[in-house]
Amino acid sequence: MTHAITTTEVFLIALALIFALPWLIWRLGRTEYYAPLVVVQILTGILLGPGVLGEIYPDYYNFVFSPQVVQSLNGIAWWAVMLFVWIAGIELDLHEVWRNRRETTIAASLALGTPLLTGCLAALVMLAWHDNWLGSQGENWQFVVGIGMACSVTALPILILFMERIEILRKPLGQRVLRYASMDDIAIWCVLALIMLDWTRVGRQTGFLIGFGLAAWTFRTLMRRLSETDRWYVGLIWLALCGFAADWAGLHFMVGAFLSGAVIDGHWFNRERVDLLRHHVLLVVMPVFFLSTGLRTHWDIGGGSVVLAAGLLLVASVGGKLLGTGIAGRLLNWPRQESRLIGWLLQTKALIMIIFASILLDKAIISAETFTALLLMAVMSTMLTIPKVTPLLANLSLQRQQGER
């Protein structure tokens, strides 16, 4: 008797592909130096998407990634990325930012503002080039600001992983870079809330912000009285409720996820446990988000045009970030090598930019082709980080050693 394969079985086949293919490419190809596993997972998601696998082997693609399977994967992806953004909010240390507010404000403002400007210029070029880059529900100003902000984003969680790898995370330089990235992280979500502002639902959105402020005060009071074990449970309940409230208000559940973490003091939790949770989320569930991201890529405008747009965005992003940190370095009297090092670290994109672009795509502010170009830009910028930072860090260390002599 022939056994008809069930949706559950196809779902498990999809999971096996999601975890096996990137790991095999990463391990057998030894790509760690220029393409960490997280980057390989994103690229594999693109390859398994409709633009590549779906074009070459449409029957296999439609079999494995049926609507029922994709719906199940999306549910996991939503929770995974909410957890990831929540952890990023927890890791913000606003007290340290305040203690070093002059330096942090100058560096973070230029590191964000300059690539925002160059990204907006790139967006204007894209609109003049082809009107299909704009989403069906997007206004020109939303597209321009959204693309500009995507070019300004620093992926705080990935930045932490990279600085752990090159052993500067707990050193003064690493802590400074974290402060700058933390300030930019706050600005990113504020700008996103502005882009998402819906005048037909402005009452709901105002109500959410007021209600969130009151609820956050109550939540923080409660958290101070709980043991750490209970704080984890209450924190996750808080995350789900904030995500729901923000989405109901029309701001998107990711805005709620970030805000829910930002009002939590990092010292309420053991630092090692927070680090472990981030690593475990990356290991266990984030690969599903990368795959679901790849399933949303399209090349209808033309593969060559999408790649060219990605290159334009890459130049705007990296060039703007290096220019901004270079100006900050002159104002704050940083060594030139240090300015470049900080610029290359802060231009890391990956996860947060992909999350940001996914929200713009969800709201139809950008088209699927623009999302694909942004995804490629994020991958390329992240792949450049370690190869560029490693020699700069070695030269900076050598200069300091010679200066001490």
Side-chain angles (χ1 to χ4, degrees):
M1 184 175 178
T2 305
H3 170 69
I5 194 163
T6 66
T7 300
T8 302
E9 291 164 352
V10 178
F11 172 77
L12 293 173
I13 291 172
L15 279 184
L17 288 172
I18 290 167
F19 285 96
L21 285 179
W23 180 80
L24 288 171
I25 295 169
W26 173 71
R27 177 57 67 199
L28 298 179
R30 299 181 179 179
T31 66
E32 182 63 27
Y33 183 71
Y34 56 90
L37 180 57
V38 62
V39 172
V40 177
Q41 288 169 334
I42 296 168
L43 287 171
T44 306
I46 295 173
L47 294 175
L48 292 175
V52 181
L53 180 64
E55 284 291 325
I56 301 172
Y57 299 110
D59 292 338
Y60 288 106
Y61 174 81
N62 292 325
F63 169 71
V64 176
F65 300 112
S66 65
Q68 297 90 338
V69 170
V70 170
Q71 184 177 12
S72 300
L73 293 172
N74 282 342
I76 297 173
W78 293 338
W79 183 241
V81 77
M82 284 182 71
L83 282 170
F84 207 79
V85 170
W86 180 66
I87 295 167
I90 292 174
E91 289 175 328
L92 291 178
D93 190 348
L94 297 180
H95 299 294
E96 189 64 24
V97 169
W98 180 251
R99 277 195 293 269
N100 299 274
R101 52 190 177 274
R102 179 183 176 274
E103 176 208 358
T104 302
T105 300
I106 292 172
S109 298
L110 287 165
L112 180 79
T114 310
L116 173 63
L117 177 60
T118 54
C120 287
L121 292 175
L124 290 171
V125 171
M126 291 175 69
L127 287 176
W129 174 9
H130 206 300
D131 57 8
N132 284 355
W133 300 113
L134 181 66
S136 59
Q137 302 297 317
E139 300 287 341
N140 283 356
W141 75 267
Q142 291 176 309
F143 180 87
V144 170
V145 175
I147 295 297
M149 208 65 204
C151 290
S152 307
V153 167
T154 297
L156 182 60
I158 298 301
L159 176 63
I160 290 171
L161 293 178
F162 279 176
M163 291 200 296
E164 280 180 338
R165 181 180 164 192
I166 59 178
E167 300 179 347
I168 65 168
L169 178 60
R170 304 303 177 197
K171 295 181 179 179
L173 176 61
Q175 292 301 299
R176 283 170 51 205
V177 173
L178 276 185
R179 289 201 304 272
Y180 310 150
S182 296
M183 284 288 286
D184 289 350
D185 232 24
I186 296 171
I188 288 161
W189 296 103
C190 291
V191 170
L192 179 63
L194 175 64
I195 294 171
M196 295 291 104
L197 192 63
D198 183 351
W199 290 105
T200 63
R201 290 204 276 183
V202 70
R204 278 191 184 187
Q205 292 169 349
T206 303
F208 164 76
L209 294 173
I210 295 172
F212 176 80
L214 295 173
W217 180 84
T218 305
F219 169 75
R220 286 176 57 83
T221 302
L222 173 63
M223 288 287 274
R224 292 189 188 99
R225 298 177 180 177
L226 297 175
S227 66
E228 184 181 351
T229 300
D230 289 329
R231 284 172 181 167
W232 284 112
Y233 286 100
V234 174
L236 290 173
I237 296 167
W238 170 247
L239 165 63
L241 291 175
C242 288
F244 165 77
D247 209 66
W248 171 82
L251 291 174
H252 202 278
F253 62 85
M254 280 297 104
V255 175
F258 177 77
L259 290 175
S260 70
V263 298
I264 293 175
D265 290 347
H267 65 80
W268 289 346
F269 301 102
N270 181 284
R271 170 69 67 178
E272 292 181 359
R273 290 178 182 172
V274 175
D275 290 342
L276 277 175
L277 178 59
R278 179 173 11 90
H279 285 294
H280 289 156
V281 170
L282 270 172
L283 172 67
V284 176
V285 285
M286 283 305 289
V288 179
F289 169 72
F290 299 139
L291 185 279
S292 67
T293 299
L295 296 181
R296 307 175 77 178
T297 55
H298 287 273
W299 310 79
D300 292 346
I301 290 178
S305 296
V306 171
V307 172
L308 283 174
L312 172 66
L313 294 170
L314 181 67
V315 171
S317 173
V318 176
K321 192 71 76 172
L322 292 176
L323 178 60
T325 55
I327 296 171
R330 285 182 175 273
L331 294 175
L332 297 169
N333 298 316
W334 295 344
R336 186 166 177 270
Q337 293 275 14
E338 186 175 286
S339 299
R340 293 180 61 201
L341 174 65
I342 292 172
W344 279 108
L345 284 169
L346 290 178
Q347 66 81 43
T348 302
K349 294 287 180 288
L351 294 182
I352 299 300
M353 207 256 14
I354 295 171
I355 294 166
F356 185 86
S358 296
I359 296 170
L360 297 181
L361 181 62
D362 284 342
K363 297 296 184 180
I365 292 171
I366 62 174
S367 68
E369 292 74 26
T370 303
F371 176 77
T372 304
L374 286 170
L375 189 59
L376 292 174
M377 180 269 280
V379 169
M380 289 186 288
S381 74
T382 306
M383 289 177 69
L384 286 170
T385 304
I386 293 297
K388 289 292 186 179
V389 163
T390 302
L392 285 171
L393 186 61
N395 290 338
L396 186 61
S397 299
L398 182 61
Q399 287 178 5
R400 286 177 175 171
Q401 289 173 3
Q402 291 173 344
E404 290 171 358
R405 292 173 187 172

